Amino acid sequence: MPKFNLKHIEAFVHVADLGSFRRAAARLNTTQPNISNRISQLEHHLRLTLMERDAGSVRLTREGRQLIGPARRILAAVDGFLEATGDGTVFDGLLRLGVTELVAQTWLRPFLIQMKDRFPSVDVELTIDLSENLSNLLFAREIDLAFQNGPFDQRTPNTEPLGQSPYIWVAAPALGFPTGPVAADQIARHRILTHARGSYPYTQLDAHFRQIEQPVRLVPSSNIAACLQMANDGLGVACVPALMAAETLAAGRLQVLDYDWHPEDLHFAARWLVDPAPTFLVAAVEIAAGLYPPEDHD
């Protein structure tokens, strides 16, 4: 029987958090039989049953619930020990990060560069998706950290506001919009390119034009970059987060329309469930907060 070691504690905490030997194995980059063996060895060493194993589920026993807190504190102490060195190169591991398209198209690249510089042995596994889908992945424990926009249906114990981005209306100069105020019927002459159907901004757009009884053609897309390209080609008017359009506007390929209504600003936050959160996850949140464009902070 192998001697009791830190890998047994890691397996115990991850199986408890993820509710699955398979998921714990994937998280710790090993096999399911290895995780099962580590739990069995830990239980043998302690002479206790820590988990009840049913088909498709794992539940902590009373003894397991008593020991999960001390187990978490052991992992936190090890992380604190490494952090005390002041050297990010001593950390290794995997950060499963989920981001929205806006993050991916704006400040994701400098974020990844800073993470690599600070923690060269920590790999970032990236998922880019709609905010609603990222929330589902977060609560399914399939990602560790999400940089996403609200509103949020489910609260997380750890949330750090990052900033916000207002919406703007943009169109190609070739469409001939005036530089002054624009009326709803002028916009309605063109397709309105915007977020995916069912998303919060799409719902607000639809409700706005219904309220003012202005028929419009909403063209939804899960890819805002594609909407901007279509707008650039004169295929419609786009209602998009200002951050996404900054580069195109600076190049003069699009103009901002002075329409007096916009969807609510996008409020972005970092959200995570991991407990204890490793130093490199906490640092990732700090890096993201520092990168979010200052002009768009609350």
Side-chain angles (χ1 to χ4, degrees):
M1 179 69 66
K3 291 184 178 180
F4 169 75
N5 59 50
L6 186 62
K7 288 186 176 181
H8 295 95
I9 300 296
E10 287 180 329
F12 175 45
V13 170
H14 281 83
V15 172
D17 283 346
L18 300 174
S20 164
F21 285 79
R22 176 185 58 80
R23 289 183 177 181
R27 187 67 184 87
L28 293 172
N29 195 30
T30 186
T31 64
Q32 184 171 330
N34 276 346
I35 294 297
S36 183
N37 285 338
R38 289 175 193 176
I39 297 299
S40 295
Q41 291 163 5
L42 179 60
E43 291 178 324
H44 178 81
H45 182 82
L46 299 176
R47 299 185 181 89
L48 294 171
T49 299
L50 301 176
M51 297 178 171
E52 295 176 348
R53 304 156 177 81
D54 294 329
S57 67
V58 179
R59 296 190 305 276
L60 293 179
T61 62
R62 180 175 63 86
E63 292 80 5
R65 292 193 297 272
Q66 289 174 341
L67 291 176
I68 191 65
R72 294 188 196 281
R73 290 194 289 274
I74 289 172
L75 295 186
V78 171
D79 188 80
F81 174 78
L82 296 176
E83 184 181 12
T85 68
D87 182 2
T89 65
V90 301
F91 289 90
D92 60 16
L94 174 67
L95 176 63
R96 300 174 303 170
L97 175 65
V99 304
T100 62
E101 183 193 4
L102 184 145
V103 175
Q105 295 287 342
T106 54
W107 48 268
L108 178 62
R109 182 172 177 269
F111 167 83
L112 293 174
I113 291 172
Q114 288 196 34
M115 278 293 293
K116 190 65 176 178
D117 287 344
R118 189 164 172 183
F119 302 100
S121 297
V122 173
D123 295 321
V124 177
E125 181 179 290
L126 189 62
T127 299
I128 302 172
D129 209 331
L130 300 176
S131 187
E132 180 181 359
N133 295 338
L134 293 179
S135 290
N136 293 335
L137 292 174
L138 188 65
F139 282 92
R141 300 275 186 167
E142 294 183 20
I143 59 175
D144 306 312
L145 175 64
F147 298 151
Q148 59 181 146
N149 59 278
F152 304 119
D153 293 333
Q154 294 176 282
R155 292 185 178 181
T156 55
N158 305 293
T159 300
E160 181 68 28
L162 296 177
Q164 66 189 71
S165 179
Y167 275 88
I168 56 174
W169 293 87
V170 295
L175 294 187
F177 278 96
T179 56
V182 173
D185 64 330
Q186 292 176 288
I187 286 180
R189 295 170 192 163
H190 306 274
R191 297 179 181 88
I192 296 178
L193 313 166
T194 191
H195 287 274
R197 189 184 304 276
S199 66
Y200 194 56
Y202 178 94
T203 302
Q204 290 182 79
L205 278 165
D206 184 55
H208 167 70
F209 286 108
R210 287 181 186 275
Q211 183 178 8
I212 64 174
E213 299 182 348
Q214 174 64 63
V216 293
R217 290 171 291 173
L218 296 181
V219 180
S221 174
S222 60
N223 189 316
I224 295 300
C227 289
L228 281 170
Q229 184 58 56
M230 292 171 68
N232 184 60
D233 293 337
L235 300 178
V237 173
C239 184
V240 296
L243 279 177
M244 287 286 292
E247 183 176 338
T248 311
L249 288 170
R253 295 192 296 271
L254 292 173
Q255 69 178 93
V256 177
L257 305 184
D258 183 11
Y259 183 56
D260 64 1
W261 179 90
H262 307 82
E264 295 175 12
D265 291 0
L266 282 180
H267 290 260
F268 278 81
R271 305 207 302 159
W272 68 100
L273 302 175
V274 181
D275 180 27
T279 292
F280 57 78
L281 188 152
V282 175
V285 175
E286 294 172 353
I287 291 171
L291 284 172
Y292 207 95
E295 64 269 19
D296 289 304
H297 274 256
D298 291 334

